[in-house]
Each structure stands twice: as structure tokens, then as C-alpha cells.
Amino acid sequence: MSETVTAPSFAVISGAQVQRALSGNEKRVVELVEAAYRTHGAGDTVNPPSYFLRFPDRPSARIIALPASLGGTARVDGLKWISSFPTNVSAGLPRASGVLVLNDHLTGYPFACLETSIISAARTAASAALAADWLTRGRDRPRRLGFIGTGLIARYVHTYLAGTDWSFDSVAVHDLSAEHAEGFRGYLAGAAPDVEVTVASSAEDLIRDSDVVVFTTTAGKPHVLDPELFSHNPLVLHLSLRDLSPEIILSATNVLDDVEHCLKADTSPHLAEQASGNRDFVHATLCQVMNGQAELPADRPIVFSPFGLGVLDLAVGLHVHDEVRVAGELAVVEDFFHELSRYGKRAPRADRS
């Protein structure tokens, strides 16, 4: 006889609740992301390719579906459905918006729908902070930080670096929009008043003067072309994936989050594969570095290119759900699952007496 199971309740978790659950807990979120990477590296996940919905009439826009299943101690399945509409920015709206659906591992029933732009930003920033830690071990601690691209992800990366005890003597920013660059400079000056914050006139100047370079742009093709810019061997957190020329990738030590995911969709590593005809330029995955399976040479720049795995969203999303539940703040939708009887429920018979 099969085991009796019941449908879970279904809750909706707002962006405000997500932010309250994550704010100030950067170290815990980095731990969750590290655990998810290790689970993925051990083969206890399912993380198929992302699916891109594109629009002929809106070529810069896309909506991406990231299905995933996370094993380990926190077993959960789900789907992130996130849009990227860069034209929103000029209208005063954030570029990205989306939802994360969590499914019960036993029954497959969805049990929560969460606002996910914050979750996505947090897991991306946590991944960057985790990589910065592991990829600079055994090296001099970087003192000069630079951001190319100054949107929400850049702000979250700075928050997660600060929240995991990183400090810098100087921070430089560069953006194609002078207004956005100045806005981010003002934010950084308020967040770290003792740190020198400058606006770089070009991406090239910023790269030359930075020990850690963070790319968080919306670039669709490489715009930084010269490998000599990286001759001082900085750490490059290449979060936006399409900024660097194949020549830069081929001259660097490359660490990816997942090889198959990163080498597609015309990312810079994918272009490098096409140019070279092989994958020899891929040094390791971040999980291999964490497991001590790869050593990093000190005579080349290190480029970390994370495609962004759906299992990371699941790990952070489940944590948010559990925090909101423990706080007694789950907004449960009553009778969300209504047809639960295989043959339906009969209406009560009329009294014919």
C-alpha cells in the first residue's frame, strides 16, 4: 500500500518579506550558496539548461526559466522565472523582475511563490563573495575594488563583500551612464564613508587601477578587448558573462561555476571555446577549488564566470520560506489546491422525506 500524503499549503512571499529575511544575514546566505555548490559538485542536483523566451519586437528583452532540483539536506525542486527588460531602467523601474516557485520534493506540489529579484541578486552576490574568498587565498589581500556596471547587482555585491568582512582602501565605479555612476558613487560613499570612492572615466582606467574588478553590465557582446589591461593579475568577477574578449579569457586562469552551463549562449567563455576549438582554457570549477582539487597559478589574472545555477535560487528561496514560516508570517492562500478528490465530492442528497 502506498504511503498516504497530503497536499501542502501554498503561500505567497513578498519582496518585503524576502528582504527582511535576508538583510544582515550575508554570511549565512554565503554558507547556503557554498553548500549548494558542493551539493551540485557531488552530483546531487538536477540543473538543466536555462530556457530563454525572446521577442522579435523587443530584441533587448528576455524572460528566462531556470528549473532545478536541489538534493543534500535541503531537498527542494522549483523554477525561477525572471525577466530582463533593460529599457525599464530609463523609465525608473529595475531591469529584472520575477518569481520563484518552490515544489515539495515528495509530492511535487508547489508550496510557495516568492518575489525573486532580491533572491537572485542575493545569490549572485553571495556567489561573488564566496569566489572572492576562495580565489584569493594564498595571495595578498586585494585593496582596490572596481565596479563596471552600477545597478542592483553591483549594490548587492558590495553589500555581500562588506557583510563577509571585506574592506578596501579605494573603490572605483564606471558606467556608460554618468548619472548612474554618480548615483552608485553616492551610495558607496554613504555605505563606506572612510573609503575613497571615485568615478573612472573609462573601463580601461578602472581595470588598470583595481585588484578586484566586478562586471555587472547588460553587455551582449565583448567590449573590453585588450589582455594587457589585466597584466597586473587582478581577480575578475565576471558576473555579466559577456564583457571580455576571447583573447582575455584565453590569457587568464578561468574558474566557472559549471562548465556546460557557461560554455553556451555566446558568453565570453563560449566565444573563447569557439575561437580556440577546445576547452583547455577552463582551469577548474569553483567547487573543485573549494575541494582542493585545483591550484591557482599566481602569474595570470583569475576570471570567475558564473552562469548562475537555479539550485542556488532554490537554496536561498527555501531559507527565506523557512524564516518567514518560523516568524509566523506566511501568507497562505486558502483552498489553493481544491480538486483533491480523485472522483470528486458528491453533493449532499436532498431530503425527500
Side-chain angles (χ1 to χ4, degrees), residues 10-131:
F10 183 81
V12 176
I13 298 176
S14 70
Q17 290 175 302
V18 172
Q19 190 170 59
R20 286 196 296 270
L22 297 179
S23 181
N25 294 315
E26 291 82 14
K27 290 181 180 179
R28 176 59 180 147
V29 176
V30 171
E31 290 172 355
L32 291 168
V33 166
E34 178 172 351
Y37 272 136
R38 292 187 185 278
T39 301
H40 183 67
D44 196 12
T45 65
V46 180
N47 207 107
S50 302
Y51 297 89
F52 290 75
L53 177 61
R54 299 186 184 276
F55 313 96
D57 60 325
R58 292 156 288 167
S60 68
R62 65 193 182 196
I63 306 178
I64 311 170
L66 289 84
S69 177
L70 178 64
T73 58
R75 305 185 72 83
V76 64
D77 310 324
L79 172 76
K80 180 168 80 168
W81 178 243
I82 188 163
S83 66
S84 174
F85 279 53
T87 55
N88 284 351
V89 176
S90 61
L93 281 175
R95 171 186 60 84
S97 61
V99 294
L100 174 68
V101 177
L102 302 180
N103 293 74
D104 179 69
H105 187 76
L106 181 61
T107 66
Y109 272 71
F111 62 87
C113 178
L114 302 85
E115 194 286 328
T116 202
S117 66
I118 296 172
I119 291 172
S120 188
R123 65 84 151 149
T124 301
S127 171
L130 181 70

Side-chain angles (χ1 to χ4, degrees), residues 101-317:
V101 177
L102 302 180
N103 293 74
D104 179 69
H105 187 76
L106 181 61
T107 66
Y109 272 71
F111 62 87
C113 178
L114 302 85
E115 194 286 328
T116 202
S117 66
I118 296 172
I119 291 172
S120 188
R123 65 84 151 149
T124 301
S127 171
L130 181 70
D133 175 26
W134 281 96
L135 301 181
T136 59
R137 294 188 181 188
R139 294 187 170 201
D140 293 336
R141 190 75 161 176
R143 305 306 309 170
R144 302 173 300 168
L145 174 64
F147 287 94
I148 299 177
T150 58
L152 179 73
I153 300 298
R155 173 160 62 86
Y156 267 76
V157 170
H158 179 265
T159 297
Y160 271 75
L161 288 172
T164 51
D165 301 327
W166 283 82
S167 61
F168 296 91
D169 297 333
S170 64
V171 181
V173 303
H174 174 73
D175 197 285
L176 293 178
S177 165
E179 178 185 357
H180 294 160
E182 182 57 33
F184 191 47
R185 187 209 63 77
Y187 161 77
L188 292 172
D194 297 330
V195 177
E196 178 188 7
V197 183
T198 59
V199 175
S201 60
S202 69
E204 291 77 10
D205 288 344
L206 182 146
I207 292 166
R208 292 189 187 97
D209 294 335
S210 299
D211 303 318
V212 177
V213 182
V214 184
F215 283 92
T216 62
T217 75
T218 59
K221 61 181 181 180
H223 57 97
V224 178
L225 307 178
D226 186 0
E228 282 301 311
L229 294 170
F230 302 88
S231 60
H232 57 300
N233 300 330
L235 170 65
V236 181
L237 301 176
H238 188 208
L239 307 183
S240 39
L241 287 175
R242 295 173 178 86
D243 302 271
L244 304 178
S245 69
E247 292 77 16
I248 292 171
I249 296 295
L250 294 172
S251 66
T253 296
N254 291 280
V255 178
L256 314 181
D257 60 351
D258 182 281
V259 176
E260 293 300 327
H261 282 75
C262 284
L263 297 183
K264 62 181 56 177
D266 288 336
T267 64
S268 293
H270 187 206
L271 297 180
E273 180 189 29
Q274 295 175 49
S276 65
N278 60 64
R279 299 181 172 185
D280 295 346
F281 61 90
V282 178
H283 188 77
T285 65
L286 181 59
C287 187
Q288 288 172 328
V289 174
M290 294 190 299
N291 288 339
Q293 298 170 295
E295 294 187 4
L296 303 173
D299 59 348
R300 287 189 290 175
I302 298 175
V303 177
F304 176 57
S305 299
F307 196 80
L309 302 176
V311 292
L312 305 184
D313 298 281
L314 295 184
V316 177

Side-chain angles (χ1 to χ4, degrees), residues 315-332:
V316 177
L318 182 61
H319 170 73
V320 169
H321 171 272
D322 291 347
E323 289 292 298
V324 174
R325 176 179 54 80
V326 168
E329 297 176 355
L330 274 182
V332 174

